[in-house]
Amino acid sequence: MMIPMIIVLETGITEKEKTYIRDFLTGQGLQVREIVGEKDTVLGAVGQVSLDQRTVELLPGVARVIPISKPYKLASRELHREDTVFSVGHVTVGGSRIVIIGGPCAVESREQILEAARAVKEAGGVMLRGGAFKPRTSPYAFQGLGFEGLRYLKEAGEATGLPVVTEVVAPGDVEAMAEYIDVYQIGARNMQNFELLKTVGSMGMPVILKRGLSATINEWLMAAEYLLASGTDKVILCERGIRTFETYTRNTLDISAIPIIRKLSHLPVIVDPSHGTGIRDKVLPMALAGVAAGAHGLIVEVHPDPEKAVSDGPQTLYPEQFRKLVHDVEALAPVVGKEVARLPENHHLRAAVGETVQFTGDSCRVAFQGEPGAYSEKALKHYFPEGRAESLPCGSFEEVFDAVLKGKADWGMLPMENSLAGSILENYDLLNLNPDVSIVGEIKIRIRHNLIAHKGVRIEDITEVRSHPQALAQCDRFIRDHRWASIPAYDTSGAVADLSRDRDARHRAAIASDEAARVWDMEILKEGIETNPNNYTRFAVIGRRENVNVSKPNKATIMFEISDEAGSLSKCLAFFARHQLNMTRIESRPIHGKPWSYSFYVDLDLPEDISTFEGAAEEVKGAVKGFRILGMYRV
Ligand code: PEP
Ligand code: MN
């Protein structure tokens, strides 16, 4: 038969066997890629030779051979089931992060690109774009500053810490450009310039591949295949609109290409709403549409003074509009289970506790309650930079505090409040009891419950479902409709873990996160079975107080006890009002051992100048019995 093929290796394969298989395949004139997945390791073999599948199947260490049916091989999800995730400098592309790239269409001058870079960074963008070689429709239009422009771009990237991306138009420039840039961009007009693709691919560096003006999704993936086959595995696909009969917009942004690409390919895919519409005020809505459709990022044109831009001014955002775009994408991200990527120095935790957090070096350890795959683990994976947090499962919330206090973990992740079920008061009490621990940050994630069972189990086979009581309650309609028995378990992922160990339990299902299904190698029978889709949980990140050196907090959580007399609460609240501090939440809690007396937990927004808060805190302290700042942090 004809290759290419996917060769799934046996789990116990020796290095010697693997080398033998590799050498055998390359000896046949094939190109071999090793892909290490969570569950298995596969070799992808592509080339222009034909080879009998059975010959490969008989090699020691080979579990099975699967021919790849799609015309694109290295780009196809058949070869690589998990999403491709890679780093560009300190920025992670792919997975659960949304990477926002901003910058002008063209580098026009040193000052212009430096100013643009500062604006992009200040707004929360994580990469800088700017063309130095511009493929223009007219030979008389500005063609770009060439290598001089690349020098300015590099300087702007270094000044701000933003990795830089720029378009390459000529195979002859590829090598010389490498020292100036972090990511090559292949423009729409060059998507099928195969010599350019081969040369760029051979550099092994990250590449943004724009979709051609009239390229089908298949042709686009075939172009990606050229890059991959030439030696890079860091390809980002970019939907930037296609040519249709519509003339109102510059191009027709094909949002449907995003979920299609995500199904067909493992490569990250981003959206360019600027070229996709050509109209400044259509950029924000289409950026949001792209993210809602599942894009891993956005590339947006932004200029310090768009009216003066030498190219693409009408579609270019003002810095203020770009800031709003980042802000709105931040609000949308949790709805689609993602987080906006941040530079390490802009990370909330780094901003709150300063140099104590070294995201660029070793990873940190984070304790959470539950089994692997718990929602708290999902929260910590979202909060900390990708791949930097090692999770430490704990049996109870007390154990999380203990792990943090004893230094077994650097940080802890605690659920504090669910949008439907209310506060997890146990954690407020534990914060109160442990003055050496402080809140250092927070994150909100959407809770999407899934029905999970053994592989091959059908929904009709199920008679009972197990999970944490809160999860069962949140899926009550679905459970009632199926007339299943609901059985409470200690935690959501624990219910999946137990089920996975009981191989014969084919009448039982568990309710937990998608992550829990993945970790315990179980099947999701139905996604999103919660009754109310507005199901979010707010988590607090905790750390040892001695490690916290708050520099720019914007939120505080405090606790105080008041005496049982008329007006004592309103007196405290008046201090906040007088200092113009916005209270975002207040909750009362009975004090243990003192029936009918209460402590209050209050969240406050902090102004830039935190001395206002300190002033109010002093006044409150003087008027109450117990007073504690549970944390000042950045959200
Ligand atoms: C650009 O990014 O400025 C550009 C020219 O894009 P495209 O190749 O998508 O037209
Ligand atoms: Mn442009």
Side-chain angles (χ1 to χ4, degrees):
M1 62 143 275
M2 287 297 295
I3 32 73
M5 51 180 83
I6 296 164
I7 300 139
V8 183
L9 304 177
E10 281 172 353
T11 25
I13 190 169
T14 63
E15 272 310 307
K16 204 166 143 208
E17 284 169 334
K18 202 169 16 175
T19 313
Y20 182 83
I21 300 170
R22 222 176 221 293
D23 291 349
F24 173 82
L25 295 167
T26 36
Q28 299 283 324
L30 296 167
Q31 252 191 307
V32 182
R33 281 299 167 91
E34 181 171 339
I35 296 145
V36 184
E38 291 244 333
K39 307 257 152 41
D40 46 29
T41 299
V42 307
L43 296 179
V46 294
Q48 286 158 356
V49 230
S50 65
L51 177 67
D52 193 326
Q53 180 175 334
R54 282 163 305 181
T55 318
V56 183
E57 265 163 352
L58 290 172
L59 296 174
V62 172
R64 60 187 191 282
V65 174
I66 312 164
I68 308 176
S69 61
K70 298 281 191 316
Y72 40 87
K73 315 295 174 184
L74 299 171
S76 96
R77 212 180 256 286
E78 287 175 53
L79 175 70
H80 195 302
R81 268 175 297 161
E82 287 148 35
D83 283 357
T84 282
V85 177
F86 54 84
S87 313
V88 177
H90 295 312
V91 178
T92 303
V93 181
S96 64
R97 301 296 142 126
I98 297 167
V99 169
I100 305 181
I101 306 168
C105 181
V107 180
E108 298 165 7
S109 68
R110 181 173 174 270
E111 291 65 36
Q112 172 250 16
I113 194 68
L114 275 166
E115 203 179 329
R118 282 192 287 265
V120 166
K121 177 164 184 175
E122 201 264 323
V126 288
M127 260 192 245
L128 177 66
R129 60 150 289 151
F133 300 97
K134 296 305 298 177
R136 304 301 296 280
T137 304
S138 161
Y140 309 116
F142 175 66
Q143 305 285 307
L145 296 182
F147 280 90
E148 185 193 351
L150 291 186
R151 275 199 301 280
Y152 301 150
L153 185 65
K154 182 179 160 87
E155 186 186 340
E158 283 172 355
T160 49
L162 299 168
V164 299
V165 49
T166 200
E167 178 164 359
V168 53
V169 294
D173 291 338
V174 173
E175 231 182 287
M177 285 173 74
E179 68 168 283
Y180 298 97
I181 63 168
D182 302 283
V183 183
Y184 289 99
Q185 175 177 318
I186 306 272
R189 288 154 198 83
N190 271 316
M191 190 203 82
Q192 282 184 317
N193 180 341
F194 300 115
E195 289 314 308
L196 184 63
L197 293 172
K198 284 193 251 178
T199 319
V200 170
S202 72
M203 300 297 291
M205 283 170 56
V207 188
I208 290 179
L209 176 65
K210 293 248 190 144
R211 181 177 181 180
L213 299 160
S214 57
T216 63
I217 288 174
N218 246 299
E219 288 163 340
W220 186 17
L221 287 169
M222 290 309 286
E225 191 74 12
Y226 264 94
L227 289 168
L228 296 164
S230 309
T232 184
D233 37 42
K234 298 175 179 166
V235 176
I236 303 165
L237 297 162
C238 177
E239 166 59 46
R240 46 78 72 203
I242 48 176
R243 206 40 91 70
T244 67
F245 53 81
E246 182 56 71
T247 52
Y248 190 92
T249 42
R250 179 175 175 182
N251 290 293
T252 299
L253 190 63
D254 182 9
I255 295 285
S256 68
I258 308 298
I260 295 171
I261 290 289
R262 294 212 46 189
K263 187 164 168 83
L264 298 177
S265 178
H266 52 88
L267 296 171
V269 53
I270 64 171
V271 168
D272 175 346
S274 309
H275 295 87
T277 60
I279 309 168
R280 185 179 299 135
D281 68 353
K282 303 295 175 279
V283 171
L284 173 65
M286 293 320 272
L288 295 176
V291 170
H296 295 105
L298 300 165
I299 182 163
V300 177
E301 286 183 342
V302 47
H303 190 291
D305 189 355
E307 302 305 328
K308 297 215 178 78
V310 297
S311 56
D312 288 351
Q315 69 191 33
T316 298
L317 299 189
Y318 286 87
E320 189 49 44
Q321 293 175 307
F322 182 66
R323 196 173 312 131
K324 177 166 190 325
L325 181 144
V326 175
H327 205 65
D328 287 2
V329 173
E330 273 171 353
L332 175 60
V335 180
V336 290
K338 293 208 176 100
E339 279 298 307
V340 173
R342 284 171 180 264
L343 288 179
E345 62 266 41
N346 277 349
H347 192 275
H348 333 255
L349 187 56
R350 178 71 182 269
V353 301
E355 300 298 317
T356 325
V357 191
Q358 287 296 343
F359 287 132
T360 49
D362 295 341
S363 59
C364 52
R365 192 169 309 153
V366 188
F368 69 98
Q369 186 277 323
E371 296 266 7
Y375 289 104
S376 300
E377 190 183 34
K378 196 172 185 131
L380 78 87
K381 289 203 165 147
H382 275 225
Y383 183 78
F384 290 91
E386 197 117 7
R388 295 273 186 261
E390 193 188 314
S391 39
L392 178 68
C394 296
S396 64
F397 294 131
E398 280 99 333
E399 268 183 52
V400 174
F401 276 84
D402 199 56
V404 170
L405 282 168
K406 297 215 171 100
K408 280 187 270 175
D410 303 292
W411 314 104
M413 184 62 81
L414 297 172
M416 301 304 290
E417 185 184 10
N418 177 269
S419 59
L420 303 176
S423 295
I424 293 96
L425 289 167
E426 184 183 350
N427 283 331
Y428 281 94
D429 291 344
L430 284 166
L431 277 166
N432 213 358
L433 287 170
N434 289 284
D436 294 333
V437 167
S438 168
I439 301 176
V440 295
E442 78 168 28
I443 182 171
K444 183 182 82 171
I445 66 164
R446 181 166 171 202
I447 305 295
R448 287 198 87 214
H449 292 306
N450 302 280
L451 185 73
I452 299 166
H454 281 290
K455 290 194 172 133
V457 167
R458 295 168 312 157
I459 262 194
E460 307 83 78
D461 304 333
I462 293 168
T463 57
E464 65 166 64
V465 59
R466 298 190 186 191
S467 193
H468 185 276
Q470 219 176 64
L472 292 171
Q474 288 169 356
C475 302
D476 61 337
R477 191 186 300 158
F478 186 80
I479 298 171
R480 233 179 314 119
D481 286 351
H482 287 87
R483 299 169 196 281
W484 292 331
S486 24
I487 298 171
Y490 189 63
D491 54 42
T492 54
S493 50
V496 182
D498 284 347
L499 181 55
S500 77
R501 290 181 201 113
D502 191 351
R503 300 234 145 252
D504 298 330
R506 301 187 69 81
H507 61 290
R508 199 204 302 162
I511 292 174
S513 72
D514 51 353
E515 194 64 12
R518 208 177 56 78
V519 171
W520 299 104
D521 199 17
M522 302 284 277
E523 194 158 11
I524 294 181
L525 299 192
K526 200 162 173 69
E527 286 177 19
I529 58 166
E530 63 277 8
T531 308
N532 187 332
N534 287 315
N535 191 356
Y536 293 87
T537 295
R538 199 165 53 79
F539 291 82
V541 187
I542 57 166
R544 286 185 295 287
R545 206 167 272 269
E546 73 209 30
N547 284 352
V548 179
N549 160 33
V550 186
S551 56
K552 283 183 276 173
N554 59 8
K555 184 170 174 182
T557 299
I558 61 169
M559 187 284 306
F560 54 84
E561 291 169 23
I562 54 170
S563 50
D564 187 12
E565 62 194 64
S568 55
L569 176 62
S570 92
K571 201 160 96 190
C572 287
L573 301 187
F575 293 131
F576 299 131
R578 188 138 41 78
H579 289 272
Q580 308 244 308
L581 290 164
N582 183 31
M583 226 169 66
T584 54
R585 184 180 138 80
I586 180 163
E587 174 122 37
S588 67
R589 180 85 177 125
I591 301 172
H592 288 238
K594 293 193 209 164
W596 321 121
S597 26
Y598 297 88
S599 49
F600 288 85
Y601 292 99
V602 171
D603 287 350
L604 297 155
D605 283 338
L606 297 185
E608 203 135 307
D609 174 12
I610 60 163
S611 63
T612 341
F613 167 68
E614 287 161 350
E618 277 310 309
E619 289 176 19
V620 174
K621 210 184 220 166
V624 297
K625 284 195 273 183
F627 176 88
R628 274 201 43 218
I629 298 177
L630 299 182
M632 284 161 72
Y633 45 100
R634 197 161 176 89
V635 295

